[in-house]
Amino acid sequence: MRAMVYRGPYKVRVEEKVMPPIEHPNDAIVRVTLAAICGSDLHLYHGMMPDTRVGMTFGHEFIGVVEQVGSSVQNLKVGDRVMVPFNVYCGSCYFCVRGLYSNCHNVNPNATAVGGIYGYSHTCGGYDGGQSEYVRVPFADVGPSIIPDWLEDEDALMCTDALATGYFGAQLGDISEGDTVVVFGAGPVGLFAAKSSWLMGAGRVIVIDHLEYRLEKARTFAHAETYNFAEYDDIVVEMKKATDYLGADVVIDAVGAEADGNFTQHVTAAKFKLQGGSPIALNWAIDSVRKGGTVSVMGAYGPMFSAVKFGDAMNKGLTLRMNQAPAKRQWPRLFEHIQNGYLKPNDIVTHRIPLEHIAEGYHMFSAKLDDCIKPVIVPGA
Ligand code: NAD
Ligand code: ZN
């Protein structure tokens, strides 16, 4: 089969790979019909996440058709059209029964924090992902759901991560009626977080980025006020001015491991460490929220991001909430909002790229070329 393969930082290729076999009676093999590239994949692509091994296939956002099922699988059959949340999880451990699917204890023996994520390095369990023609789906009775007939493929695809994560980011913000919510990052996660914030009662939503075309999308898609941080000496001061010098009630970090304040494309982990391991957007978030406010961190960080303004957070009495999103937990609410017309998830999809051209897709999405917001990958195209 054809699959995206990681060959080192900034190097991905499409290669011939052996079809994944059923390894356990709980497994299913899914023929991928659509996948997406996520901002999280860029952290791998940039070499920012530990234990990202050459030869791995990325891709934790995918939908497809069940090709084969293991002997104990009961809820799926060959031919079912399925959406698969980005988390790999068992459904029955201490964490899963509490809804913490992204912290499953049974899928990632090496980890103390995160559970399993498809195509997301050996730090997250070493599972190959779905930027591929076929993918092995463990615990097939737990994660995947049959896609309802009324739900279109690209909308289902957005629910596997980006939309579920944006919505979860707003949920963790614990937004009260009338709150001012500031979202750092106008990528797919930030756009969906901004859009979701209104659903939770926000009175004002502000989105910050430095890419004008994405801020335009934040205005039209998420009806947000926008600030281009590159136009201000200090975006934190601007946020203070915008909030009567109180700070925002809730700030959502939808940026994560952006390593380089100059936004050049060739960042290395070593260079980042030399800069002191300071996550720019997260520290801006801590500085922009009011005393007693909440910072919801959806941006993904690896262990090298250590210089967080923890003292400031403590003295401001902040609530910091964060996690990899347990994507499937959000689906029932997302389905309601899609069905009632409030959310049209594939409005943010800008590119549809054949799997064979995925390297160009990574480059474009990483360098933010051609007004790219969300690239979808089409195997077999
Ligand atoms: P993306 O790369 O498309 O978007 C990130 C945006 O942040 C870009 O538009 C970039 O210009 C902007 N940006 C960079 N530095 C900034 C700064 N200092 N202030 C404001 N904006 C800044 O990525 P995405 O797909 O939207 O993902 C966003 C983050 O969410 C990533 O870190 C990703 O790993 C993470 N993520 C987390 C989860 C989760 O479960 N928690 C799930 C999916 C994605
Ligand atoms: Zn993702």
Side-chain angles (χ1 to χ4, degrees), residues 38-40 42-43 86 120 161 165 184-190 208-211 214 229 254-258 263 280-281 284 298-300 323-325 365 368 373-374:
C38 175
S40 296
L42 295 182
H43 305 322
F86 73 91
Y120 213 71
D161 179 358
T165 298
F184 281 95
V189 172
I208 298 169
D209 204 297
H210 67 122
L211 299 171
R214 287 184 169 210
F229 67 76
V255 178
E258 283 281 352
F263 307 102
I280 300 164
W284 281 351
M298 286 300 101
N323 206 348
Q324 299 286 350
F365 185 47
K368 311 301 192 228
I373 295 179
K374 188 72 173 173

Short mmCIF file of all heavy atoms in Angstrom, two decimals, residues 38-40 42-43 86 120 161 165 184-190 208-211 214 229 254-258 263 280-281 284 298-300 323-325 365 368 373-374, ligand 1:
data_model
loop_
_atom_site.label_atom_id
_atom_site.label_comp_id
_atom_site.label_asym_id
_atom_site.label_seq_id
_atom_site.Cartn_x
_atom_site.Cartn_y
_atom_site.Cartn_z
N CYS A 38 -2.71 17.99 10.43
CA CYS A 38 -3.07 18.80 11.60
C CYS A 38 -1.86 19.65 12.00
O CYS A 38 -0.72 19.28 11.73
CB CYS A 38 -3.46 17.85 12.73
SG CYS A 38 -3.80 18.66 14.31
N GLY A 39 -2.14 20.75 12.69
CA GLY A 39 -1.04 21.54 13.26
C GLY A 39 -0.15 20.68 14.15
O GLY A 39 1.06 20.93 14.27
N SER A 40 -0.73 19.66 14.77
CA SER A 40 0.09 18.76 15.59
C SER A 40 1.10 18.00 14.74
O SER A 40 2.22 17.74 15.18
CB SER A 40 -0.80 17.75 16.32
OG SER A 40 -1.66 18.41 17.22
N LEU A 42 2.60 19.14 12.31
CA LEU A 42 3.72 20.06 12.02
C LEU A 42 4.77 20.00 13.12
O LEU A 42 5.96 20.15 12.85
CB LEU A 42 3.20 21.49 11.87
CG LEU A 42 2.26 21.72 10.68
CD1 LEU A 42 1.85 23.18 10.61
CD2 LEU A 42 2.92 21.29 9.37
N HIS A 43 4.36 19.76 14.37
CA HIS A 43 5.37 19.65 15.44
C HIS A 43 6.28 18.45 15.17
O HIS A 43 7.48 18.50 15.42
CB HIS A 43 4.71 19.51 16.81
CG HIS A 43 3.72 20.59 17.14
ND1 HIS A 43 3.92 21.91 16.79
CD2 HIS A 43 2.53 20.56 17.79
CE1 HIS A 43 2.89 22.63 17.22
NE2 HIS A 43 2.03 21.83 17.81
N PHE A 86 -8.92 10.76 17.19
CA PHE A 86 -7.45 10.70 17.07
C PHE A 86 -6.78 9.94 18.20
O PHE A 86 -5.65 9.51 18.08
CB PHE A 86 -6.86 12.09 16.90
CG PHE A 86 -6.82 12.97 18.13
CD1 PHE A 86 -5.72 12.98 18.98
CD2 PHE A 86 -7.86 13.85 18.40
CE1 PHE A 86 -5.65 13.82 20.08
CE2 PHE A 86 -7.82 14.70 19.51
CZ PHE A 86 -6.71 14.68 20.35
N TYR A 120 1.66 9.50 15.96
CA TYR A 120 2.18 10.65 16.71
C TYR A 120 3.40 10.29 17.57
O TYR A 120 3.43 10.58 18.76
CB TYR A 120 1.06 11.31 17.53
CG TYR A 120 1.32 12.80 17.61
CD1 TYR A 120 1.16 13.61 16.49
CD2 TYR A 120 1.79 13.39 18.77
CE1 TYR A 120 1.46 14.95 16.52
CE2 TYR A 120 2.09 14.75 18.82
CZ TYR A 120 1.92 15.52 17.69
OH TYR A 120 2.22 16.86 17.73
N ASP A 161 -10.76 15.39 15.13
CA ASP A 161 -9.81 16.14 15.95
C ASP A 161 -10.12 17.63 15.97
O ASP A 161 -10.65 18.14 16.96
CB ASP A 161 -8.37 15.89 15.48
CG ASP A 161 -7.34 16.66 16.29
OD1 ASP A 161 -7.73 17.42 17.19
OD2 ASP A 161 -6.14 16.50 16.03
N THR A 165 -11.44 19.36 19.22
CA THR A 165 -10.43 20.01 20.06
C THR A 165 -10.76 21.48 20.29
O THR A 165 -10.65 21.98 21.42
CB THR A 165 -9.03 19.86 19.42
OG1 THR A 165 -8.73 18.47 19.34
CG2 THR A 165 -7.97 20.57 20.23
N PHE A 184 -5.59 32.67 21.07
CA PHE A 184 -4.32 32.81 20.35
C PHE A 184 -4.23 31.72 19.30
O PHE A 184 -4.32 30.53 19.63
CB PHE A 184 -3.13 32.72 21.32
CG PHE A 184 -2.90 33.99 22.07
CD1 PHE A 184 -3.44 34.17 23.34
CD2 PHE A 184 -2.16 35.03 21.52
CE1 PHE A 184 -3.24 35.36 24.05
CE2 PHE A 184 -1.95 36.22 22.20
CZ PHE A 184 -2.49 36.38 23.47
N GLY A 185 -4.04 32.10 18.03
CA GLY A 185 -3.91 31.14 16.94
C GLY A 185 -5.20 31.06 16.14
O GLY A 185 -6.26 30.74 16.68
N ALA A 186 -5.11 31.34 14.85
CA ALA A 186 -6.29 31.28 13.96
C ALA A 186 -6.16 30.13 12.98
O ALA A 186 -6.56 30.21 11.83
CB ALA A 186 -6.47 32.60 13.23
N GLY A 187 -5.55 29.03 13.44
CA GLY A 187 -5.55 27.80 12.64
C GLY A 187 -6.87 27.09 12.86
O GLY A 187 -7.79 27.62 13.50
N PRO A 188 -6.99 25.88 12.35
CA PRO A 188 -8.24 25.13 12.51
C PRO A 188 -8.70 25.04 13.97
O PRO A 188 -9.88 25.27 14.25
CB PRO A 188 -7.88 23.74 11.95
CG PRO A 188 -6.83 24.04 10.93
CD PRO A 188 -6.03 25.17 11.46
N VAL A 189 -7.80 24.77 14.89
CA VAL A 189 -8.20 24.61 16.29
C VAL A 189 -8.68 25.95 16.85
O VAL A 189 -9.73 26.03 17.49
CB VAL A 189 -7.04 24.03 17.14
CG1 VAL A 189 -7.38 24.06 18.61
CG2 VAL A 189 -6.72 22.61 16.68
N GLY A 190 -7.95 27.01 16.58
CA GLY A 190 -8.34 28.33 17.08
C GLY A 190 -9.66 28.79 16.48
O GLY A 190 -10.52 29.36 17.17
N ILE A 208 -6.29 36.16 17.78
CA ILE A 208 -4.99 36.78 17.52
C ILE A 208 -4.12 35.84 16.68
O ILE A 208 -4.01 34.65 16.97
CB ILE A 208 -4.27 37.08 18.86
CG1 ILE A 208 -5.10 38.07 19.67
CG2 ILE A 208 -2.86 37.60 18.62
CD1 ILE A 208 -4.62 38.23 21.10
N ASP A 209 -3.50 36.39 15.66
CA ASP A 209 -2.57 35.64 14.81
C ASP A 209 -1.71 36.68 14.12
O ASP A 209 -1.87 37.88 14.36
CB ASP A 209 -3.34 34.75 13.80
CG ASP A 209 -2.53 33.55 13.30
OD1 ASP A 209 -1.48 33.78 12.66
OD2 ASP A 209 -2.94 32.41 13.57
N HIS A 210 -0.82 36.24 13.24
CA HIS A 210 -0.09 37.21 12.43
C HIS A 210 -0.34 37.00 10.95
O HIS A 210 0.23 37.70 10.11
CB HIS A 210 1.42 37.15 12.73
CG HIS A 210 2.06 35.88 12.29
ND1 HIS A 210 3.10 35.82 11.40
CD2 HIS A 210 1.78 34.60 12.61
CE1 HIS A 210 3.44 34.56 11.19
NE2 HIS A 210 2.66 33.80 11.92
N LEU A 211 -1.20 36.03 10.62
CA LEU A 211 -1.50 35.74 9.22
C LEU A 211 -2.85 36.37 8.87
O LEU A 211 -3.89 35.94 9.35
CB LEU A 211 -1.55 34.23 8.98
CG LEU A 211 -0.24 33.49 9.28
CD1 LEU A 211 -0.47 31.99 9.24
CD2 LEU A 211 0.84 33.89 8.27
N ARG A 214 -5.82 34.26 7.67
CA ARG A 214 -6.48 33.47 8.71
C ARG A 214 -7.33 34.36 9.62
O ARG A 214 -8.40 33.96 10.08
CB ARG A 214 -5.44 32.69 9.51
CG ARG A 214 -4.86 31.53 8.70
CD ARG A 214 -3.91 30.68 9.49
NE ARG A 214 -3.59 29.47 8.74
CZ ARG A 214 -3.29 28.30 9.29
NH1 ARG A 214 -3.25 28.18 10.60
NH2 ARG A 214 -3.02 27.25 8.55
N PHE A 229 -0.88 40.31 15.70
CA PHE A 229 0.10 40.68 16.74
C PHE A 229 1.36 41.31 16.15
O PHE A 229 2.08 42.03 16.84
CB PHE A 229 0.43 39.49 17.66
CG PHE A 229 1.17 38.34 17.02
CD1 PHE A 229 2.53 38.42 16.74
CD2 PHE A 229 0.51 37.15 16.74
CE1 PHE A 229 3.21 37.35 16.18
CE2 PHE A 229 1.18 36.07 16.18
CZ PHE A 229 2.54 36.17 15.89
N ALA A 254 -4.29 28.22 21.20
CA ALA A 254 -4.45 27.28 20.08
C ALA A 254 -3.23 27.40 19.16
O ALA A 254 -3.34 27.38 17.94
CB ALA A 254 -5.74 27.56 19.32
N VAL A 255 -2.07 27.56 19.79
CA VAL A 255 -0.82 27.71 19.02
C VAL A 255 0.10 26.52 19.30
O VAL A 255 0.47 25.79 18.38
CB VAL A 255 -0.11 29.02 19.37
CG1 VAL A 255 1.21 29.13 18.61
CG2 VAL A 255 -1.00 30.22 19.07
N GLY A 256 0.48 26.33 20.55
CA GLY A 256 1.35 25.22 20.89
C GLY A 256 2.80 25.47 20.52
O GLY A 256 3.26 26.61 20.52
N ALA A 257 3.47 24.40 20.17
CA ALA A 257 4.92 24.39 20.05
C ALA A 257 5.43 25.14 18.83
O ALA A 257 6.21 24.62 18.04
CB ALA A 257 5.40 22.94 20.03
N GLU A 258 4.98 26.38 18.66
CA GLU A 258 5.59 27.25 17.65
C GLU A 258 6.92 27.65 18.22
O GLU A 258 7.00 28.38 19.20
CB GLU A 258 4.74 28.51 17.41
CG GLU A 258 3.52 28.28 16.57
CD GLU A 258 3.82 28.21 15.08
OE1 GLU A 258 4.98 28.48 14.69
OE2 GLU A 258 2.91 27.86 14.32
N PHE A 263 9.27 33.16 13.25
CA PHE A 263 8.42 32.42 12.32
C PHE A 263 9.14 32.04 11.03
O PHE A 263 8.56 32.01 9.98
CB PHE A 263 7.13 33.20 12.02
CG PHE A 263 6.44 33.57 13.28
CD1 PHE A 263 6.53 34.85 13.79
CD2 PHE A 263 5.77 32.61 14.03
CE1 PHE A 263 5.95 35.18 14.99
CE2 PHE A 263 5.18 32.93 15.22
CZ PHE A 263 5.27 34.22 15.72
N ILE A 280 5.94 31.14 23.45
CA ILE A 280 5.55 32.54 23.33
C ILE A 280 4.05 32.72 23.56
O ILE A 280 3.63 33.52 24.39
CB ILE A 280 5.92 33.06 21.92
CG1 ILE A 280 7.43 32.94 21.73
CG2 ILE A 280 5.46 34.50 21.72
CD1 ILE A 280 7.87 33.04 20.30
N ALA A 281 3.25 31.96 22.83
CA ALA A 281 1.80 32.19 22.92
C ALA A 281 1.27 31.85 24.31
O ALA A 281 0.40 32.55 24.83
CB ALA A 281 1.07 31.37 21.86
N TRP A 284 2.05 34.66 26.58
CA TRP A 284 1.13 35.77 26.25
C TRP A 284 -0.24 35.50 26.85
O TRP A 284 -0.92 36.41 27.33
CB TRP A 284 1.01 35.93 24.74
CG TRP A 284 2.15 36.64 24.07
CD1 TRP A 284 3.18 37.29 24.68
CD2 TRP A 284 2.35 36.78 22.67
NE1 TRP A 284 4.02 37.82 23.74
CE2 TRP A 284 3.54 37.53 22.49
CE3 TRP A 284 1.67 36.35 21.53
CZ2 TRP A 284 4.06 37.85 21.23
CZ3 TRP A 284 2.17 36.67 20.28
CH2 TRP A 284 3.35 37.42 20.13
N MET A 298 -4.91 24.31 24.43
CA MET A 298 -5.10 23.25 23.43
C MET A 298 -3.84 23.06 22.59
O MET A 298 -3.63 22.01 22.01
CB MET A 298 -6.28 23.59 22.51
CG MET A 298 -7.63 23.42 23.17
SD MET A 298 -7.94 21.73 23.74
CE MET A 298 -7.60 21.93 25.49
N GLY A 299 -3.01 24.10 22.51
CA GLY A 299 -1.75 23.98 21.79
C GLY A 299 -0.95 22.82 22.37
O GLY A 299 -0.94 22.62 23.58
N ALA A 300 -0.31 22.05 21.51
CA ALA A 300 0.44 20.88 21.97
C ALA A 300 1.89 21.27 22.27
O ALA A 300 2.50 22.01 21.52
CB ALA A 300 0.39 19.78 20.92
N ASN A 323 -5.26 19.55 27.97
CA ASN A 323 -5.14 18.12 27.69
C ASN A 323 -5.16 17.94 26.20
O ASN A 323 -5.52 18.84 25.46
CB ASN A 323 -6.30 17.32 28.32
CG ASN A 323 -5.93 15.86 28.61
OD1 ASN A 323 -4.89 15.37 28.16
ND2 ASN A 323 -6.76 15.18 29.35
N GLN A 324 -4.75 16.75 25.76
CA GLN A 324 -5.15 16.33 24.42
C GLN A 324 -6.66 16.09 24.52
O GLN A 324 -7.13 15.51 25.50
CB GLN A 324 -4.43 15.04 24.02
CG GLN A 324 -2.91 15.14 23.97
CD GLN A 324 -2.40 15.90 22.75
OE1 GLN A 324 -3.16 16.21 21.84
NE2 GLN A 324 -1.13 16.20 22.75
N ALA A 325 -7.40 16.53 23.52
CA ALA A 325 -8.86 16.41 23.61
C ALA A 325 -9.30 14.95 23.53
O ALA A 325 -8.81 14.21 22.69
CB ALA A 325 -9.50 17.21 22.47
N PHE A 365 1.37 23.73 4.19
CA PHE A 365 0.69 23.96 5.47
C PHE A 365 1.68 24.50 6.51
O PHE A 365 1.35 25.38 7.30
CB PHE A 365 0.06 22.64 5.93
CG PHE A 365 -0.78 22.73 7.18
CD1 PHE A 365 -1.73 23.73 7.35
CD2 PHE A 365 -0.63 21.78 8.18
CE1 PHE A 365 -2.51 23.79 8.51
CE2 PHE A 365 -1.40 21.83 9.34
CZ PHE A 365 -2.34 22.84 9.51
N LYS A 368 2.57 28.00 5.54
CA LYS A 368 1.34 28.79 5.42
C LYS A 368 1.31 29.49 4.05
O LYS A 368 1.12 30.71 3.94
CB LYS A 368 1.21 29.82 6.56
CG LYS A 368 1.44 29.27 7.98
CD LYS A 368 0.49 28.16 8.37
CE LYS A 368 0.52 27.79 9.84
NZ LYS A 368 0.61 26.37 10.16
N ILE A 373 -5.46 26.79 5.14
CA ILE A 373 -5.94 26.66 6.53
C ILE A 373 -6.00 25.19 6.92
O ILE A 373 -5.40 24.78 7.90
CB ILE A 373 -7.31 27.34 6.73
CG1 ILE A 373 -7.18 28.86 6.51
CG2 ILE A 373 -7.84 27.06 8.14
CD1 ILE A 373 -8.47 29.64 6.65
N LYS A 374 -6.68 24.36 6.13
CA LYS A 374 -6.78 22.95 6.48
C LYS A 374 -6.64 22.10 5.22
O LYS A 374 -7.54 22.12 4.37
CB LYS A 374 -8.12 22.66 7.16
CG LYS A 374 -8.22 21.26 7.73
CD LYS A 374 -7.35 21.09 8.97
CE LYS A 374 -7.55 19.77 9.65
NZ LYS A 374 -6.58 19.57 10.75
P1 NAD B 1 -1.90 25.67 12.76
O1 NAD B 1 -0.42 25.54 12.64
O2 NAD B 1 -2.71 25.60 11.51
O3 NAD B 1 -2.29 27.01 13.52
C1 NAD B 1 -1.48 27.66 14.46
C2 NAD B 1 -1.66 29.15 14.27
O4 NAD B 1 -0.99 29.85 15.33
C3 NAD B 1 -1.06 29.67 12.97
O5 NAD B 1 -2.05 30.37 12.24
C4 NAD B 1 0.07 30.58 13.43
O6 NAD B 1 0.29 31.68 12.56
C5 NAD B 1 -0.44 31.03 14.78
N1 NAD B 1 0.59 31.54 15.70
C6 NAD B 1 1.90 31.20 15.79
N2 NAD B 1 2.48 31.83 16.83
C7 NAD B 1 1.51 32.58 17.40
C8 NAD B 1 1.48 33.46 18.52
N3 NAD B 1 2.58 33.65 19.27
N4 NAD B 1 0.31 34.05 18.83
C9 NAD B 1 -0.82 33.84 18.09
N5 NAD B 1 -0.85 33.01 17.01
C10 NAD B 1 0.30 32.40 16.68
O7 NAD B 1 -2.35 24.52 13.81
P2 NAD B 1 -3.79 23.94 14.30
O8 NAD B 1 -4.10 22.72 13.50
O9 NAD B 1 -4.78 25.02 14.40
O10 NAD B 1 -3.34 23.46 15.75
C11 NAD B 1 -3.05 24.44 16.74
C12 NAD B 1 -2.40 23.80 17.96
O11 NAD B 1 -3.32 22.88 18.56
C13 NAD B 1 -1.15 22.98 17.64
O12 NAD B 1 -0.20 23.14 18.68
C14 NAD B 1 -1.64 21.55 17.68
O13 NAD B 1 -0.62 20.64 18.01
C15 NAD B 1 -2.65 21.65 18.79
N6 NAD B 1 -3.63 20.58 18.83
C16 NAD B 1 -3.94 20.10 20.05
C17 NAD B 1 -4.89 19.14 20.17
C18 NAD B 1 -5.32 18.71 21.53
O14 NAD B 1 -6.00 17.70 21.63
N7 NAD B 1 -5.00 19.43 22.58
C19 NAD B 1 -5.51 18.63 19.04
C20 NAD B 1 -5.20 19.16 17.79
C21 NAD B 1 -4.25 20.15 17.70
#
